[in-house]
mmCIF file of all heavy atoms in Angstrom:
data_model
loop_
_atom_site.group_PDB
_atom_site.id
_atom_site.type_symbol
_atom_site.label_atom_id
_atom_site.label_comp_id
_atom_site.label_asym_id
_atom_site.label_seq_id
_atom_site.Cartn_x
_atom_site.Cartn_y
_atom_site.Cartn_z
ATOM 1 N N ALA Y 23 2.116 1.104 0.364
ATOM 2 C CA ALA Y 23 2.928 2.304 0.491
ATOM 3 C C ALA Y 23 3.343 2.889 -0.839
ATOM 4 O O ALA Y 23 3.671 4.063 -0.929
ATOM 5 C CB ALA Y 23 4.154 2.008 1.321
ATOM 6 N N SER Y 25 1.565 3.630 -3.313
ATOM 7 C CA SER Y 25 0.667 4.723 -3.664
ATOM 8 C C SER Y 25 0.581 5.739 -2.529
ATOM 9 O O SER Y 25 0.047 6.818 -2.685
ATOM 10 C CB SER Y 25 -0.729 4.179 -3.959
ATOM 11 O OG SER Y 25 -1.226 3.561 -2.787
ATOM 12 N N ALA Y 26 1.132 5.368 -1.375
ATOM 13 C CA ALA Y 26 0.944 6.218 -0.202
ATOM 14 C C ALA Y 26 1.662 7.553 -0.315
ATOM 15 O O ALA Y 26 1.282 8.519 0.320
ATOM 16 C CB ALA Y 26 1.410 5.481 1.050
ATOM 17 N N GLN Y 27 2.690 7.607 -1.136
ATOM 18 C CA GLN Y 27 3.436 8.857 -1.247
ATOM 19 C C GLN Y 27 2.645 9.909 -2.019
ATOM 20 O O GLN Y 27 2.957 11.079 -1.980
ATOM 21 C CB GLN Y 27 4.785 8.619 -1.948
ATOM 22 C CG GLN Y 27 5.667 7.587 -1.255
ATOM 23 C CD GLN Y 27 6.014 7.972 0.159
ATOM 24 O OE1 GLN Y 27 6.011 9.142 0.510
ATOM 25 N NE2 GLN Y 27 6.288 7.002 1.005
ATOM 26 N N TRP Y 42 -17.947 19.242 1.217
ATOM 27 C CA TRP Y 42 -17.378 18.264 2.132
ATOM 28 C C TRP Y 42 -17.789 18.533 3.568
ATOM 29 O O TRP Y 42 -18.019 17.605 4.339
ATOM 30 C CB TRP Y 42 -15.850 18.225 2.030
ATOM 31 C CG TRP Y 42 -15.399 17.401 0.877
ATOM 32 C CD1 TRP Y 42 -14.659 17.811 -0.182
ATOM 33 C CD2 TRP Y 42 -15.709 16.019 0.659
ATOM 34 N NE1 TRP Y 42 -14.478 16.763 -1.053
ATOM 35 C CE2 TRP Y 42 -15.101 15.661 -0.569
ATOM 36 C CE3 TRP Y 42 -16.438 15.064 1.359
ATOM 37 C CZ2 TRP Y 42 -15.202 14.374 -1.095
ATOM 38 C CZ3 TRP Y 42 -16.548 13.783 0.841
ATOM 39 C CH2 TRP Y 42 -15.933 13.454 -0.375
ATOM 40 N N ASP Y 46 -19.454 15.625 5.557
ATOM 41 C CA ASP Y 46 -18.865 15.146 6.815
ATOM 42 C C ASP Y 46 -19.845 15.274 7.972
ATOM 43 O O ASP Y 46 -19.952 14.388 8.816
ATOM 44 C CB ASP Y 46 -17.589 15.937 7.142
ATOM 45 C CG ASP Y 46 -16.458 15.612 6.173
ATOM 46 O OD1 ASP Y 46 -16.553 14.590 5.482
ATOM 47 O OD2 ASP Y 46 -15.501 16.396 6.113
ATOM 48 N N ARG Y 53 -23.568 8.589 12.200
ATOM 49 C CA ARG Y 53 -22.838 7.838 13.215
ATOM 50 C C ARG Y 53 -23.493 8.010 14.590
ATOM 51 O O ARG Y 53 -23.734 7.045 15.303
ATOM 52 C CB ARG Y 53 -21.383 8.326 13.233
ATOM 53 C CG ARG Y 53 -20.545 7.833 14.374
ATOM 54 C CD ARG Y 53 -19.084 8.216 14.150
ATOM 55 N NE ARG Y 53 -18.363 8.383 15.399
ATOM 56 C CZ ARG Y 53 -17.109 7.938 15.603
ATOM 57 N NH1 ARG Y 53 -16.477 7.314 14.660
ATOM 58 N NH2 ARG Y 53 -16.517 8.134 16.747
ATOM 59 N N ARG Y 60 -28.799 1.729 18.069
ATOM 60 C CA ARG Y 60 -28.185 0.450 18.361
ATOM 61 C C ARG Y 60 -28.356 0.037 19.819
ATOM 62 O O ARG Y 60 -28.321 -1.134 20.154
ATOM 63 C CB ARG Y 60 -26.698 0.559 18.044
ATOM 64 C CG ARG Y 60 -26.032 -0.455 17.143
ATOM 65 C CD ARG Y 60 -26.926 -1.284 16.338
ATOM 66 N NE ARG Y 60 -27.128 -0.838 14.978
ATOM 67 C CZ ARG Y 60 -26.193 -0.734 14.068
ATOM 68 N NH1 ARG Y 60 -24.963 -1.028 14.340
ATOM 69 N NH2 ARG Y 60 -26.477 -0.359 12.851
ATOM 70 N N TYR Y 64 -30.681 3.517 25.386
ATOM 71 C CA TYR Y 64 -30.628 4.960 25.117
ATOM 72 C C TYR Y 64 -31.992 5.462 24.660
ATOM 73 O O TYR Y 64 -32.488 6.488 25.103
ATOM 74 C CB TYR Y 64 -29.603 5.285 24.024
ATOM 75 C CG TYR Y 64 -28.159 5.039 24.399
ATOM 76 C CD1 TYR Y 64 -27.170 5.077 23.420
ATOM 77 C CD2 TYR Y 64 -27.780 4.784 25.709
ATOM 78 C CE1 TYR Y 64 -25.840 4.851 23.731
ATOM 79 C CE2 TYR Y 64 -26.456 4.552 26.036
ATOM 80 C CZ TYR Y 64 -25.489 4.586 25.039
ATOM 81 O OH TYR Y 64 -24.183 4.350 25.344
ATOM 82 N N GLN Y 125 -11.871 11.335 26.098
ATOM 83 C CA GLN Y 125 -11.325 10.062 25.652
ATOM 84 C C GLN Y 125 -10.521 10.153 24.361
ATOM 85 O O GLN Y 125 -10.032 9.149 23.864
ATOM 86 C CB GLN Y 125 -12.451 9.045 25.510
ATOM 87 C CG GLN Y 125 -13.099 8.803 26.862
ATOM 88 C CD GLN Y 125 -14.213 7.807 26.796
ATOM 89 O OE1 GLN Y 125 -14.683 7.477 25.712
ATOM 90 N NE2 GLN Y 125 -14.657 7.334 27.939
ATOM 91 N N ASP Y 129 -10.136 14.450 19.292
ATOM 92 C CA ASP Y 129 -8.780 14.673 18.798
ATOM 93 C C ASP Y 129 -8.496 13.805 17.581
ATOM 94 O O ASP Y 129 -7.918 14.250 16.606
ATOM 95 C CB ASP Y 129 -7.757 14.308 19.876
ATOM 96 C CG ASP Y 129 -7.397 15.517 20.709
ATOM 97 O OD1 ASP Y 129 -7.769 16.629 20.313
ATOM 98 O OD2 ASP Y 129 -6.740 15.337 21.744
ATOM 99 N N ARG Y 130 -8.906 12.562 17.718
ATOM 100 C CA ARG Y 130 -8.647 11.635 16.633
ATOM 101 C C ARG Y 130 -9.314 12.114 15.347
ATOM 102 O O ARG Y 130 -8.715 12.097 14.274
ATOM 103 C CB ARG Y 130 -9.172 10.274 17.046
ATOM 104 C CG ARG Y 130 -8.965 9.207 16.048
ATOM 105 C CD ARG Y 130 -7.487 8.949 15.836
ATOM 106 N NE ARG Y 130 -7.357 7.801 14.963
ATOM 107 C CZ ARG Y 130 -7.341 6.559 15.405
ATOM 108 N NH1 ARG Y 130 -7.407 6.317 16.681
ATOM 109 N NH2 ARG Y 130 -7.249 5.562 14.560
ATOM 110 N N ARG Y 132 -10.076 15.146 14.665
ATOM 111 C CA ARG Y 132 -9.444 16.391 14.214
ATOM 112 C C ARG Y 132 -8.117 16.149 13.505
ATOM 113 O O ARG Y 132 -7.604 17.037 12.837
ATOM 114 C CB ARG Y 132 -9.222 17.324 15.412
ATOM 115 C CG ARG Y 132 -10.537 17.800 16.011
ATOM 116 C CD ARG Y 132 -10.339 18.950 16.938
ATOM 117 N NE ARG Y 132 -9.228 18.734 17.839
ATOM 118 C CZ ARG Y 132 -8.760 19.650 18.654
ATOM 119 N NH1 ARG Y 132 -9.307 20.839 18.661
ATOM 120 N NH2 ARG Y 132 -7.770 19.386 19.460
ATOM 121 N N MET Y 134 -7.859 14.002 11.212
ATOM 122 C CA MET Y 134 -8.216 13.467 9.894
ATOM 123 C C MET Y 134 -8.585 14.600 8.945
ATOM 124 O O MET Y 134 -8.863 15.714 9.377
ATOM 125 C CB MET Y 134 -9.380 12.490 10.045
ATOM 126 C CG MET Y 134 -9.040 11.357 11.003
ATOM 127 S SD MET Y 134 -10.139 9.950 10.921
ATOM 128 C CE MET Y 134 -11.665 10.685 10.507
ATOM 129 N N ARG Y 138 -13.484 20.319 10.041
ATOM 130 C CA ARG Y 138 -13.437 20.401 11.502
ATOM 131 C C ARG Y 138 -14.797 20.709 12.105
ATOM 132 O O ARG Y 138 -15.083 20.368 13.239
ATOM 133 C CB ARG Y 138 -12.426 21.463 11.927
ATOM 134 C CG ARG Y 138 -11.017 21.023 11.637
ATOM 135 C CD ARG Y 138 -10.040 21.671 12.565
ATOM 136 N NE ARG Y 138 -8.977 20.732 12.882
ATOM 137 C CZ ARG Y 138 -8.042 20.960 13.791
ATOM 138 N NH1 ARG Y 138 -8.031 22.080 14.457
ATOM 139 N NH2 ARG Y 138 -7.121 20.064 14.031
ATOM 140 N N ARG C 67 1.295 15.132 19.172
ATOM 141 C CA ARG C 67 0.131 16.008 18.980
ATOM 142 C C ARG C 67 0.473 17.178 18.065
ATOM 143 O O ARG C 67 -0.359 17.613 17.275
ATOM 144 C CB ARG C 67 -0.393 16.527 20.327
ATOM 145 C CG ARG C 67 -1.154 15.459 21.127
ATOM 146 C CD ARG C 67 -1.671 16.037 22.436
ATOM 147 N NE ARG C 67 -2.568 17.165 22.216
ATOM 148 C CZ ARG C 67 -3.871 17.051 22.006
ATOM 149 N NH1 ARG C 67 -4.421 15.873 22.002
ATOM 150 N NH2 ARG C 67 -4.599 18.122 21.807
ATOM 151 N N LEU C 72 -2.700 18.639 16.152
ATOM 152 C CA LEU C 72 -3.672 18.826 17.230
ATOM 153 C C LEU C 72 -3.260 19.926 18.205
ATOM 154 O O LEU C 72 -4.089 20.461 18.930
ATOM 155 C CB LEU C 72 -3.868 17.510 17.987
ATOM 156 C CG LEU C 72 -4.452 16.398 17.132
ATOM 157 C CD1 LEU C 72 -4.493 15.097 17.909
ATOM 158 C CD2 LEU C 72 -5.841 16.770 16.653
ATOM 159 N N GLU C 83 6.441 15.137 5.594
ATOM 160 C CA GLU C 83 6.636 15.137 4.140
ATOM 161 C C GLU C 83 6.781 16.574 3.633
ATOM 162 O O GLU C 83 6.133 16.991 2.681
ATOM 163 C CB GLU C 83 5.478 14.414 3.419
ATOM 164 C CG GLU C 83 5.415 12.913 3.694
ATOM 165 C CD GLU C 83 6.515 12.120 2.954
ATOM 166 O OE1 GLU C 83 7.262 12.719 2.167
ATOM 167 O OE2 GLU C 83 6.618 10.909 3.219
ATOM 168 N N ARG C 95 -2.843 16.531 7.361
ATOM 169 C CA ARG C 95 -3.887 15.580 7.767
ATOM 170 C C ARG C 95 -4.190 14.567 6.672
ATOM 171 O O ARG C 95 -4.635 13.465 6.952
ATOM 172 C CB ARG C 95 -5.173 16.328 8.142
ATOM 173 C CG ARG C 95 -5.055 16.993 9.481
ATOM 174 C CD ARG C 95 -6.364 17.626 9.914
ATOM 175 N NE ARG C 95 -6.035 18.749 10.777
ATOM 176 C CZ ARG C 95 -6.399 19.995 10.556
ATOM 177 N NH1 ARG C 95 -7.177 20.297 9.533
ATOM 178 N NH2 ARG C 95 -6.031 20.941 11.366
ATOM 179 N N LEU C 100 -3.180 8.384 12.538
ATOM 180 C CA LEU C 100 -2.858 8.417 13.965
ATOM 181 C C LEU C 100 -3.598 7.266 14.612
ATOM 182 O O LEU C 100 -4.804 7.128 14.454
ATOM 183 C CB LEU C 100 -3.312 9.753 14.566
ATOM 184 C CG LEU C 100 -3.300 9.881 16.099
ATOM 185 C CD1 LEU C 100 -1.892 9.764 16.644
ATOM 186 C CD2 LEU C 100 -3.910 11.209 16.516
ATOM 187 N N THR C 105 -9.184 5.155 20.053
ATOM 188 C CA THR C 105 -10.060 6.318 20.131
ATOM 189 C C THR C 105 -10.919 6.534 18.903
ATOM 190 O O THR C 105 -11.824 7.356 18.928
ATOM 191 C CB THR C 105 -9.234 7.584 20.363
ATOM 192 O OG1 THR C 105 -8.219 7.633 19.379
ATOM 193 C CG2 THR C 105 -8.634 7.601 21.738
ATOM 194 N N GLN C 108 -16.223 3.710 17.757
ATOM 195 C CA GLN C 108 -17.477 3.924 18.463
ATOM 196 C C GLN C 108 -17.944 2.526 18.845
ATOM 197 O O GLN C 108 -18.321 1.739 17.976
ATOM 198 C CB GLN C 108 -18.464 4.609 17.503
ATOM 199 C CG GLN C 108 -19.741 5.046 18.142
ATOM 200 C CD GLN C 108 -19.560 6.348 18.902
ATOM 201 O OE1 GLN C 108 -19.051 7.314 18.361
ATOM 202 N NE2 GLN C 108 -19.983 6.368 20.152
ATOM 203 N N GLU C 110 -20.459 1.142 20.114
ATOM 204 C CA GLU C 110 -21.818 0.645 19.855
ATOM 205 C C GLU C 110 -21.968 0.146 18.419
ATOM 206 O O GLU C 110 -22.869 -0.630 18.122
ATOM 207 C CB GLU C 110 -22.858 1.739 20.100
ATOM 208 C CG GLU C 110 -23.001 2.158 21.556
ATOM 209 C CD GLU C 110 -22.020 3.255 21.939
ATOM 210 O OE1 GLU C 110 -21.119 3.584 21.119
ATOM 211 O OE2 GLU C 110 -22.143 3.789 23.056
ATOM 212 N N GLU C 115 -18.910 -1.006 10.334
ATOM 213 C CA GLU C 115 -19.468 0.362 10.319
ATOM 214 C C GLU C 115 -18.419 1.387 10.729
ATOM 215 O O GLU C 115 -18.304 2.453 10.126
ATOM 216 C CB GLU C 115 -20.669 0.454 11.258
ATOM 217 C CG GLU C 115 -21.922 -0.191 10.715
ATOM 218 C CD GLU C 115 -22.999 -0.386 11.782
ATOM 219 O OE1 GLU C 115 -22.684 -0.376 12.991
ATOM 220 O OE2 GLU C 115 -24.152 -0.547 11.397
ATOM 221 N N HIS C 125 -12.909 11.032 3.025
ATOM 222 C CA HIS C 125 -13.309 11.537 1.706
ATOM 223 C C HIS C 125 -12.949 10.592 0.568
ATOM 224 O O HIS C 125 -12.587 11.022 -0.518
ATOM 225 C CB HIS C 125 -12.705 12.937 1.447
ATOM 226 C CG HIS C 125 -13.192 13.951 2.436
ATOM 227 N ND1 HIS C 125 -12.718 15.236 2.470
ATOM 228 C CD2 HIS C 125 -14.108 13.867 3.416
ATOM 229 C CE1 HIS C 125 -13.311 15.905 3.450
ATOM 230 N NE2 HIS C 125 -14.164 15.075 4.034
ATOM 231 N N ASP C 164 -8.797 -0.145 15.520
ATOM 232 C CA ASP C 164 -8.416 1.263 15.574
ATOM 233 C C ASP C 164 -7.287 1.553 14.586
ATOM 234 O O ASP C 164 -7.301 2.547 13.859
ATOM 235 C CB ASP C 164 -7.969 1.586 17.000
ATOM 236 C CG ASP C 164 -7.659 3.051 17.180
ATOM 237 O OD1 ASP C 164 -8.607 3.841 17.161
ATOM 238 O OD2 ASP C 164 -6.479 3.400 17.329
ATOM 239 N N GLU C 172 -4.779 5.115 3.610
ATOM 240 C CA GLU C 172 -3.435 4.745 3.163
ATOM 241 C C GLU C 172 -2.427 5.859 3.438
ATOM 242 O O GLU C 172 -1.838 6.437 2.523
ATOM 243 C CB GLU C 172 -3.448 4.371 1.684
ATOM 244 C CG GLU C 172 -4.374 3.193 1.428
ATOM 245 C CD GLU C 172 -4.167 2.560 0.057
ATOM 246 O OE1 GLU C 172 -3.655 3.260 -0.835
ATOM 247 O OE2 GLU C 172 -4.509 1.382 -0.093
ATOM 248 N N ALA C 174 0.907 7.926 4.342
ATOM 249 C CA ALA C 174 2.327 7.737 4.082
ATOM 250 C C ALA C 174 3.096 7.681 5.388
ATOM 251 O O ALA C 174 4.136 7.051 5.486
ATOM 252 C CB ALA C 174 2.845 8.882 3.220
ATOM 253 N N ALA C 203 6.071 -2.786 4.100
ATOM 254 C CA ALA C 203 5.377 -2.274 2.923
ATOM 255 C C ALA C 203 5.760 -0.823 2.633
ATOM 256 O O ALA C 203 5.287 -0.242 1.665
ATOM 257 C CB ALA C 203 3.870 -2.393 3.127
#
Side-chain angles (χ1 to χ4, degrees):
Chain Y
S25 62
Q27 303 300 335
W42 279 120
D46 291 343
R53 170 171 152 138
R60 232 16 97 62
Y64 293 169
Q125 297 180 346
D129 268 349
R130 181 64 174 273
R132 294 194 315 173
M134 302 196 328
R138 290 207 144 188
Chain C
R67 285 181 59 87
L72 297 175
E83 293 286 355
R95 285 185 208 122
L100 169 64
T105 52
Q108 187 79 52
E110 292 87 352
E115 285 166 340
H125 298 175
D164 185 70
E172 300 194 337

